[in-house]
């Protein structure tokens, strides 16, 4: 089933294309076939992401035992070249385009150097065509992979791309991309770019030129595309059928923390709709375990995916990759649990989360993966009157087969309660509201309208380590709102919470009945040590 969604990386086919003529090259992708350690070869090149490192080192060792030199490159070797060098004969740091030919020459002369690193990023012009013919075509959904750009204009703290490519965003000449696309067999391809719309003008030209080729394509793009109707329309017209979009989190605080504020939470629903309106399937990436995630995050995120009919939700556990700002921060805060890279795979907790325990994060993630690909959830996400119904169902079945390998998880105990504690309560009676300064605001509401809202909003966050629930209230509060708050808090008090902090700072107006009720129920007390503590409680003088 996985074959239905698995495509080939361009790494080794690119390296094969860069290899000087006269050198015979063979590719083994261990995702699809075993490595033949007895193979008669002169030189072995190995690649891998961070989580593959232990296996890459094992492979290197097996060949080195036969005195066959091994060269390593790729994201992991480039981040930690000294570590990699302990396991191989030579390390290529960064791109291979400007160094691979020289390395082969050195090898032929018997003077392989320990490290190779180009002085600058390579030119994107006249890149040799990846040697796709070296791949086992039938083992992948497609081998039609093309790269149009390298890098990304953004710098999200957890992402390896900007670290690897610097702050550059380099585009290949559109003519060359079009020629490459024309040569591909079949009518479907994957652009393996990290962010295909990072340069608007370039993307516009590319999509316009793709249109007449009548191919279908999938790729990755950032959320900014969803706010650009013209470009989105052009993408769809040029054959875009599926996009991986890094949504990451439904919390603006989280997004701000990881330098991804260009994802704007209040626009998410609209953004998903815009993509769907163009009949583009959404593979949405979400990260669990960011610093503002409490144990309600799993259910909240899954329900968001169901509500917005996201075809393929992809859940990841936050993973600090060496070289990234996130890794530095986690390391300096002493939050990394270990450096067993094999577990840095996006599905295993390798750091101390802030608001929950490691176990809650792991089990909650497992729950989201399994529940997200349960038949019930699939049904909610794919049953809508759009085209390509079968593609949506088949890709969900493939994802389901991966999700089912996830170990058992469970929904954290407070999840349901936390959903209720993050809610908007409409006001029943706005007439008798009194503003904090003590002014009656019923008739004057129009004048000071922005402050006297018709709702009471609850923003709650639970710290599992301190067993403390923090509730920030915003808007206005009438008697019904106060009563509803008391009811919801009763639900919370039935579980093992040790402290509740209510922050009234952002409640601009109260009715006197609401204050009386809050006071009677002990919700306005400010003394430390109590179960319920009020911060910035109302003091109304008028
Ligand atoms: C396509 C892709 C995938 C595909 C992979 C399909 C497959 N068959 O493996 C999919 C979508 C499934 C995927 C999944 C994941 N991916 Co991915 N993926 C990519 C992506 C976008 C393109 C890879 C590619 O083809 N690049 C083009 C080639 C030409 O570039 P390259 O690989 O860097 O190779 C160049 C140099 O590095 C060097 N080089 C590389 N290897 C070697 C070896 C030798 C011997 C030499 C000399 C040189 C050399 O030479 C090449 C030419 O210059 C990269 C980002 C990127 N732009 O590279 C991320 C990337 C590789 N993925 C990444 C990650 C984290 C993942 C996931 C773990 C995500 C997750 N949390 O689940 C999963 C893991 C899946 C798995 N089990 O393997 C990270 C890796 C970071 C790291 N330090 O390890 C990257 C860099 C993206 C990122 N956001 O940070 N991925
Ligand atoms: S937008 Fe995507 S590719 Fe670009 S830096 Fe952020 S996570 Fe990485």
């Amino acid at each position: 089933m996985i074959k239905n969604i698995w495509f080939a990386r361009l790494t080794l086919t690119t390296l094969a294309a860069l290899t000087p003529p006269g050198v015979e090259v063979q590719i083994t992708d261990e995702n699809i076939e075993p490595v033949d350690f007895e193979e008669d070869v002169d030189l072995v090149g190995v690649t891998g992401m961070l989580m593959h490192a232990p296996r890459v080192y094992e492979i290197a060792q097996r060949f080195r035992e036969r005195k066959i030199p091994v060269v390593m490159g790729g994201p992991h070797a480039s981040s930690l070249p000294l570590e990699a060098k302990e396991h191989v004969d030579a390390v290529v740091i960064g791109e291979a385009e400007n160094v691979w030919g020289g390395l082969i020459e050195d090898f032929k002369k018997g003077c392989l150097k320990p490290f190779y690193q180009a002085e600058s990023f390579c030119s994107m012009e006249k890149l040799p065509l990846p040697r796709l013919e070296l791949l086992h075509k039938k083992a992948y959904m497609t081998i039609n992979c093309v790269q149009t750009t390298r890098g990304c204009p953004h710098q999200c703290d957890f992402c390896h791309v900007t670290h690897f490519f610097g702050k550059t965003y380099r585009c290949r000449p559109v003519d060359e991309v079009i020629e490459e696309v024309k040569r591909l067999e079949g009518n479907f391809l994957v652009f393996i770019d990290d962010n295909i719309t990072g340069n608007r003008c370039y993307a516009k030209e590319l999509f316009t030129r793709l249109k007449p080729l009548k191919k279908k394509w999938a790729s990755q793009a950032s959320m900014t595309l969803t706010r650009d109707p013209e470009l989105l329309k052009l993408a769809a017209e040029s054959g875009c059928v599926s996009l991986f979009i890094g949504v990451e989190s439904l919390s603006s605080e989280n997004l701000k923390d990881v330098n991804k504020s260009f994802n704007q939470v209040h626009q998410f629903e609209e953004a998903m709709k815009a993509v769907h309106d163009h009949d583009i399937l959404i593979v949405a990436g979400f990260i669990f375990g960011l610093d503002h995630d409490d144990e309600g995050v799993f259910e909240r995120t899954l329900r968001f995916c169901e509500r917005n009919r996201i075809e393929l939700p992809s859940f990841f556990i936050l993973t600090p990759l060496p070289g990234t700002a996130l890794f530095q921060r986690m390391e300096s805060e002493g939050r990394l649990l270990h450096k067993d890279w094999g577990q840095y795979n996006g599905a295993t907790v390798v750091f101390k989360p802030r608001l929950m325990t490691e176990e809650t994060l792991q089990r909650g993630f497992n729950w989201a993966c399994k529940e997200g690909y349960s038949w019930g959830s699939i049904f909610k996400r794919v049953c809508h009157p759009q085209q390509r119904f079968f593609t949506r169902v088949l890709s969900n079945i493939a994802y389901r087969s991966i999700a089912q390998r996830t170990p058992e998880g469970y929904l954290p105990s407070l999840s349901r309660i936390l959903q209720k504690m993050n809610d908007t309560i409409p006001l029943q009676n706005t007439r008798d509201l009194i503003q904090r300064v003590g002014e009656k605001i019923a008739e004057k509401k129009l004048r000071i309208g922005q402050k006297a809202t018709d709702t009471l909003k609850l923003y709650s966050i639970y710290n599992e380590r301190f067993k403390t629930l923090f509730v920030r209230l915003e808007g206005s509060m009438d008697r019904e709102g106060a009563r509803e708050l008391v009811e919801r808090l009763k639900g919370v008090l039935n579980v093992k919470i040790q402290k509740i902090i209510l922050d009234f700072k952002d409640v601009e107006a109260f009715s006197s009945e609401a204050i009386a009720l809050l006071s009677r129920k002990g919700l306005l007390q400010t003394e430390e040590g109590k179960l319920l503590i009020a911060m910035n409680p109302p003091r109304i003088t008028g």
Side-chain angles (χ1 to χ4, degrees), residues 10-291:
L10 276 182
T11 312
L12 296 176
T13 45
T14 299
L15 214 56
L18 294 170
T19 307
V23 178
E24 197 188 320
V25 184
Q26 190 179 314
I27 291 177
T28 305
D29 175 357
E30 213 190 17
N31 286 303
I32 59 151
E33 64 189 320
V35 177
D36 179 357
F37 290 103
E38 300 311 315
E39 190 88 53
D40 183 16
V41 290
D42 302 308
L43 179 69
V44 172
V46 282
T47 187
M49 303 183 202
L50 173 69
M51 66 187 169
H52 304 131
R55 178 61 186 159
V56 171
Y57 297 154
E58 254 173 56
I59 294 174
Q61 189 189 342
R62 295 281 297 273
F63 282 106
R64 290 177 90 201
E65 279 164 6
R66 287 177 53 209
K67 306 272 177 272
I68 298 170
V70 179
V71 183
M72 182 171 176
H76 180 64
S78 303
S79 297
L80 297 174
L82 294 176
E83 177 194 290
K85 180 63 190 67
E86 285 175 23
H87 303 269
V88 297
D89 299 278
V91 177
V92 172
I93 305 167
E95 293 178 333
E97 276 74 1
N98 293 340
V99 294
W100 183 238
L103 184 150
I104 299 280
E105 286 311 311
D106 288 351
F107 168 70
K108 281 183 179 167
K109 287 187 228 144
C111 56
L112 210 51
K113 297 189 195 83
F115 297 102
Y116 289 82
Q117 182 169 20
E119 278 168 14
S120 57
F121 293 114
C122 70
S123 155
M124 294 295 277
E125 282 175 29
K126 300 200 170 53
L127 288 176
L129 293 185
R131 292 189 55 194
L132 302 178
E133 78 282 3
L134 294 175
L135 298 170
H136 295 293
K137 200 169 152 185
K138 294 215 166 90
Y140 303 93
M141 165 188 68
T142 183
I143 56 164
N144 287 350
C145 296
V146 175
Q147 187 170 37
T148 71
T149 61
R150 283 191 186 173
C152 176
H154 304 295
Q155 290 174 64
C156 307
D157 281 2
F158 54 83
C159 179
H160 191 265
V161 169
T162 327
H163 165 70
F164 191 83
F165 293 111
K167 292 175 192 165
T168 62
Y169 186 70
R170 286 166 295 150
C171 307
R172 288 177 63 199
V174 174
D175 283 342
E176 292 181 25
V177 175
I178 295 296
E179 277 316 303
E180 190 172 334
V181 173
K182 275 186 187 164
R183 285 164 178 243
L184 300 173
E185 287 173 19
N187 77 339
F188 177 71
L189 73 143
V190 180
F191 288 115
I192 56 107
D193 300 50
D194 293 295
N195 181 1
I196 194 157
T197 52
N199 176 330
R200 189 174 188 276
C201 289
Y202 178 82
K204 239 176 115 176
E205 191 191 340
L206 177 71
F207 298 162
T208 310
R209 298 278 305 278
L210 275 172
K211 259 204 245 181
L213 305 188
K214 301 210 178 319
K215 301 263 186 187
K216 302 273 181 229
W217 58 268
S219 192
Q220 311 193 88
S222 68
M223 275 285 219
T224 48
L225 171 64
T226 64
R227 301 196 284 268
D228 189 336
E230 190 194 352
L231 195 59
L232 189 57
K233 183 164 176 274
L234 207 50
E237 287 170 356
S238 74
C240 176
V241 290
S242 160
L243 282 177
F244 179 98
I245 300 177
V247 180
E248 323 302 7
S249 175
L250 302 179
S251 142
S252 330
E253 285 99 336
N254 274 339
L255 292 164
K256 195 166 155 224
D257 274 4
V258 294
N259 201 21
K260 199 154 187 167
S261 295
F262 59 86
N263 275 12
Q264 297 183 352
V265 179
H266 66 278
Q267 292 180 335
F268 280 178
E269 309 230 336
E270 220 176 289
M272 297 298 126
K273 184 172 178 309
V275 180
H276 279 146
D277 285 349
H278 289 91
D279 202 18
I280 295 173
L281 182 148
I282 303 175
V283 188
F286 292 93
I287 300 176
F288 293 140
L290 290 159
D291 278 358

